[in-house]
Amino acid sequence: MTSYDPRSTPARPDLAASHLAGKVAAARFVDGHVREIAEPQAPLRRSPSPDAGLDTEALKGERVTIYESNEEGWSWGQLAADGYVGYMPTSALRDPGPSPTHRVAVLRTLVFPGPSIKLPPLEGLSFGCRLAIRRIEGPLAVTDSNGFVPTCHLKPIDTSESDFVAVAEQFLGVPYLWGGKSSLGLDCSGLVQLALMASGVACPRDSDMQERALGATVPVSALQRGDLVFWTDHVAIVRDATTFIHANAFHMAVAFEPVREAIARIAATGSEVTSARRMAPPI
């Protein structure tokens, strides 16, 4: 049997997706069923426990194929957007509603229970959450669940941002969180993924995956805005010839940092740059 990356392959020794029959070894194979993320963000963990490491997060409106749900309240499945596999709380899922029509295009917005911003908000939504909008009532958009969201905070789902670096810059100061992917906290590769996917570029979740999948190699001596610089377990986005933006544990936040200082600081910890990658220009 071929070896597969467990982060992107819905297979365990006891259970695997039916489309993997004959490709991986498992005690049984099952068809999955599609669910939707109902909470503002849901953790995806490496094992079914609230104490397990956070691998990534799924945002409201994302779809996920579930292969197993247990009596302890955990579901195991694969995210549709980036293919990541793991365990999430079953309580964070719902049956799929109408297809999303809009995405949250600001760092954070609020959902109100009625057509007034003076009402106590129902929830806060992060950049990238997806919503099915029924209608627009002037300054407020009405969701399929009768929530009211500021229209100016949304963009149609089929539109893309023109500058993914500018998207990343919106997150300046957001706390660093390993595995995070929201405006409450995110990690280096989560920042890259959110910014690129908002710009219409398919992007895997983890930095090693991104280094293999994205762009073409360029010399570190010739960096320009939009290049990605990789170390083992880390990635930074080039803002210009002299500065990076990256979510990092040194600042415990998304921060701007001089390129030379960042490379020297990280090298002092024993990690050298592994590559710099340049994204293809938008078509």
Side-chain angles (χ1 to χ4, degrees), residues 4-11 19-20 78 82-85 209 212:
Y4 289 89
D5 190 334
R7 296 172 296 177
S8 56
T9 308
H19 68 269
L20 294 173
Q78 183 172 34
D82 62 13
Y84 218 99
V85 175
M209 298 172 167
R212 290 193 297 269

Side-chain angles (χ1 to χ4, degrees), residues 206-218:
D206 292 342
S207 61
D208 64 315
M209 298 172 167
Q210 293 170 355
E211 187 172 16
R212 290 193 297 269
L214 299 174
T217 302
V218 294

Side-chain angles (χ1 to χ4, degrees), residues 169-202:
E169 289 171 338
Q170 293 182 55
F171 286 81
L172 181 66
V174 168
Y176 179 83
L177 174 65
W178 180 277
K181 202 176 73 173
S182 82
S183 59
L184 294 176
L186 76 174
D187 61 15
C188 62
S189 55
L191 177 66
V192 170
Q193 186 186 56
L194 280 172
L196 283 176
M197 293 185 78
S199 304
V201 178

Side-chain angles (χ1 to χ4, degrees), residues 2-281:
T2 304
S3 176
Y4 289 89
D5 190 334
R7 296 172 296 177
S8 56
T9 308
R12 309 180 324 218
D14 63 320
L15 178 67
S18 58
H19 68 269
L20 294 173
K23 300 177 182 178
V24 301
R28 61 191 179 99
F29 296 86
V30 300
D31 293 327
H33 58 283
V34 177
R35 304 294 303 279
E36 181 179 308
I37 305 300
E39 298 296 320
Q41 65 265 347
L44 194 78
R45 302 191 184 278
R46 64 195 66 176
S47 61
S49 167
D51 297 326
L54 179 65
D55 282 340
T56 188
E57 291 178 313
L59 301 178
K60 190 180 186 73
E62 285 193 59
R63 302 295 168 91
V64 55
T65 300
I66 297 299
Y67 295 99
E68 179 189 62
S69 295
N70 65 29
E71 295 180 355
E72 287 72 43
W74 291 93
S75 290
W76 181 71
Q78 183 172 34
L79 298 177
D82 62 13
Y84 218 99
V85 175
Y87 294 86
M88 62 183 56
T90 304
S91 60
L93 305 174
R94 73 171 192 173
D95 290 332
S99 296
T101 60
H102 290 71
R103 59 184 174 85
V104 176
V106 295
L107 199 63
R108 199 155 188 83
T109 192
L110 298 173
V111 181
F112 299 93
S116 171
I117 60 172
K118 295 181 180 180
L119 295 170
L122 295 172
E123 60 186 1
L125 301 180
S126 185
F127 183 97
C129 286
R130 305 172 187 184
L131 299 171
I133 299 300
R134 286 182 176 178
R135 64 187 184 277
I136 305 293
E137 294 186 358
L140 295 173
V142 185
T143 72
D144 67 304
S145 56
N146 290 316
F148 290 74
V149 184
T151 306
C152 62
H153 290 174
L154 305 176
K155 289 187 178 180
I157 200 80
D158 58 357
T159 61
S160 298
E161 304 296 335
S162 60
D163 182 357
F164 87 91
V165 182
V167 174
E169 289 171 338
Q170 293 182 55
F171 286 81
L172 181 66
V174 168
Y176 179 83
L177 174 65
W178 180 277
K181 202 176 73 173
S182 82
S183 59
L184 294 176
L186 76 174
D187 61 15
C188 62
S189 55
L191 177 66
V192 170
Q193 186 186 56
L194 280 172
L196 283 176
M197 293 185 78
S199 304
V201 178
C203 180
R205 177 58 178 90
D206 292 342
S207 61
D208 64 315
M209 298 172 167
Q210 293 170 355
E211 187 172 16
R212 290 193 297 269
L214 299 174
T217 302
V218 294
V220 176
S221 59
L223 296 175
Q224 66 183 35
R225 184 176 175 86
D227 290 346
L228 302 175
V229 178
F230 291 92
W231 298 258
T232 301
D233 295 329
H234 190 60
V235 58
I237 303 168
V238 178
R239 296 181 64 236
D240 52 42
T242 62
T243 59
F244 286 144
I245 179 171
H246 56 154
N248 66 92
F250 178 77
H251 297 94
M252 283 307 296
V254 177
F256 297 158
E257 188 172 8
V259 169
R260 289 185 179 180
E261 289 183 17
I263 290 176
R265 176 178 60 76
I266 296 172
T269 69
S271 184
E272 300 289 341
V273 170
T274 54
S275 73
R277 312 286 294 178
R278 180 160 298 163
M279 306 301 297

